[in-house]
């Protein structure tokens, strides 16, 4: 069993929000059309709401383990990445040019007696 935060603390709420968000994002990787995804998102929300009144720490731990296992089993092999994000298809593509000169031609010409060229 993994280490989970104590029930009904700020860390617990943060963990539940993180789990909910990870599940929604994973579903969005599988279902691209938002209108179809929305129905699945509502079902996920209903499942979280169904377990909202569980107060037993052992029961919560079982629910979380089951949810984490389901998420791991359904994890998308190639999740969506925004194009400009790290690992995106456009990451570091078309970078802006450097602000300074790459080669100082004026100094080179002065040092080699080619002033005015």
């Amino acid at each position: 069993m993994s280490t989970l935060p104590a029930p009904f603390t700020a860390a617990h709420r943060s963990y539940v929000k993180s789990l909910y968000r990870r599940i929604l994002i994973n579903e969005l990787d599988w279902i691209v059309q938002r209108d179809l995804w929305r129905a699945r998102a509502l079902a996920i929300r209903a499942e979280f709401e169904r377990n909202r009144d569980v107060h037993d720490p052992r029961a919560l731990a079982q629910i979380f383990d089951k949810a984490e296992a389901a998420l791991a089993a359904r994890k998308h092999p190639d999740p969506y990445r925004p194009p400009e994000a790290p690992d995106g298809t456009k990451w570091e593509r078309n970078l802006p040019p450097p602000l300074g000169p790459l080669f100082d031609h004026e100094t080179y010409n002065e040092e080699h007696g080619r002033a005015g060229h």
Side-chain angles (χ1 to χ4, degrees):
M1 189 161 90
S2 63
T3 58
L4 296 171
F8 314 112
T9 62
H12 171 79
R13 282 190 297 276
S14 177
Y15 174 75
V16 172
K17 288 180 198 176
S18 169
L19 179 63
Y20 179 68
R21 186 166 189 265
R22 287 183 291 143
I23 291 172
L24 286 179
I25 289 172
N26 187 54
E27 287 299 318
L28 192 55
D29 288 339
W30 285 103
I31 305 170
V32 179
Q33 294 174 322
R34 288 284 177 145
D35 56 337
L36 300 176
W37 172 81
R38 181 71 178 143
R40 182 68 184 129
L42 291 174
I44 292 168
R45 179 61 187 240
E47 187 174 345
F48 270 76
E49 289 292 331
R50 192 175 320 120
N51 296 319
R52 182 179 203 143
D53 295 326
V54 176
H55 298 295
D56 181 24
R58 289 189 180 128
L60 283 173
Q62 288 178 347
I63 291 169
F64 291 146
D65 287 342
K66 179 183 166 193
E68 290 283 355
L71 178 61
R74 191 160 163 72
K75 194 76 173 157
H76 197 282
D78 187 21
Y80 174 77
R81 300 271 186 252
E84 288 83 15
D87 291 340
T89 56
K90 290 185 175 182
W91 177 247
E92 292 188 349
R93 191 187 296 179
N94 299 327
L95 292 175
L99 297 178
L102 296 176
F103 182 74
D104 191 1
H105 296 284
E106 293 174 0
T107 305
Y108 178 83
N109 288 339
E110 289 173 6
E111 289 174 357
H112 291 85
R114 304 176 83 187
H117 286 267

